[in-house]
Amino acid sequence: AKDGLALINGTQLMSAYGAFILERALILAREADILAGMSLEALQGSAVPFDARIQELRPHPGQSLTAGNIRKLLEGSEIMASHRDCGKVQDPYCLRCVPQVHGATRDALGYAEQVLDTELNSVTDNPLVFRDGDILSGGNFHGQPLALALDFAALGLAELGSISERRTYLLLEGHDGLPRLLMRDTGVNSGYMIPQYTAAALVSENKVLAHPASVDSIPTSLGQEDHVSMGSISALKLLGILKTVQRILAVELLTVSQAVAFRAPLRPGRGVESAHRALRGRGAHASEDYEVRNDLDTCVDMLASGTLAAAVEDAIGPLA
């Protein structure tokens, strides 16, 4: 009975969900950097905010890693070179502040990873039987460390989706010669307007899912269990956010791949070009209005499986 209790304690559920989600979330964070680089090229944004000297003055680890990834993705870009001396001074935050926003998410996920690593190598049973025969009753079963970490990871992942949707919106606005809604013939589906609707709705859903479960506690067991972590709810909500963010980022992947093509014959950076080629290998550039559902599902699959990150890293080497 005691062995069984150790296995079914709530911390096991939290740890399992947390490990499963974080493995995928850490890949998704790299893919979010790839998408940001693609959007920067498509929108003819400035590479200046990613200069290493800027990051050194605010040395949060994730910020520096993200900026470095963007610089690597843009190497060899003809698009960037074509407008290096243009009069545009500053881009909207969703482009200019990618290192700060994506970087903060990376740091949040990094903290959660440290907590999960400790937890997976810990004993959460009770009471504990020691080698000298002592039997001590304690509180290692309590899920609070995990609950807080999973709630923090949820906030970080939700923000990746939030800033991605803003970039998608910009792509549809018709910036710097791009066709509005990214299509000459928008038809009954209004070009790529409906996918942006989808992303906006999912961002709003995440605002609910990101509410922390760990601030709540309902006593049970006649008051014996008078403060509990609610971390199992944190874990379940985090899985929901992972799925919605994958689809939000898929919308950006679909729309930005359409947008980058309009910059031809100028070529994007090698990293961005490899990402664009990876998607175009599974679907053609759209010249007229069509139902995007199948292509959107393809984009979700590429992100969820890590295929996009793998294609880029095969071309330019590992991203941070």
Side-chain angles (χ1 to χ4, degrees), residues 220-288:
T220 58
S221 190
L222 299 176
Q224 180 71 13
E225 298 173 4
D226 60 347
H227 184 279
V228 292
S229 72
M230 299 293 183
S232 60
I233 299 174
S234 302
L236 292 168
K237 293 196 299 90
L238 180 58
L239 180 61
I241 288 175
L242 175 72
K243 292 178 178 179
T244 58
V245 170
Q246 285 174 169
R247 189 156 288 269
I248 294 166
L249 293 181
V251 172
E252 185 180 7
L253 176 57
L254 181 65
T255 52
V256 76
S257 294
Q258 177 79 0
V260 165
F262 287 111
R263 299 305 181 192
L266 295 177
R267 297 176 64 176
R270 290 193 304 116
V272 170
E273 187 173 48
S274 63
H276 188 253
R277 191 186 307 117
L279 180 60
R280 283 291 159 253
R282 300 176 67 172
H285 177 81
S287 57
E288 59 185 23

Side-chain angles (χ1 to χ4, degrees), residues 177-187 191-192 258 261-263 285-289:
L178 291 177
R180 299 187 77 179
L181 302 177
L182 294 176
M183 209 170 286
R184 308 294 184 192
D185 176 17
T186 55
Y192 286 89
Q258 177 79 0
F262 287 111
R263 299 305 181 192
H285 177 81
S287 57
E288 59 185 23
D289 190 59

